[in-house]
Amino acid sequence: MWHWAQPEDPGVPWHSVSRIELPGRARSRKRAAIARYVSQIRPLGPDPEDSAILPPEEIAHHTREREVVFR
């Protein structure tokens, strides 16, 4: 939905959304898993073309204290 949906988009089944609070261990494991994808989170070299693919705000999104799921 990141590519096509807007807040309140009628094409999204908002009625089936749930928020799940993640325990600390789950968040730690997610951070450790993300850290293993060095080619995605750190520059590959000094050239601008070699910059990290995932910016810090994207990583922050995936390391939040909660998940939003559709049931």
Side-chain angles (χ1 to χ4, degrees):
M1 290 184 297
W2 289 2
H3 301 286
W4 58 268
Q6 299 293 323
E8 316 256 346
D9 190 311
V12 176
W14 298 113
H15 62 280
S16 64
V17 170
S18 294
R19 183 168 72 175
I20 300 170
E21 298 297 324
L22 297 176
R25 175 119 170 99
R27 292 192 316 268
S28 294
R29 292 184 70 159
K30 282 183 74 172
R31 283 191 299 274
I34 290 168
R36 296 192 52 100
Y37 289 90
V38 176
S39 66
Q40 306 298 301
I41 62 174
R42 292 191 182 84
L44 298 175
D47 293 340
E49 294 176 356
D50 293 334
S51 64
I53 293 172
L54 297 176
E57 59 271 13
E58 180 72 19
I59 295 169
H61 171 81
H62 292 289
T63 56
R64 299 181 299 186
E65 296 179 352
R66 65 194 170 282
E67 291 284 344
V68 176
V69 298
F70 289 85
R71 296 181 186 235

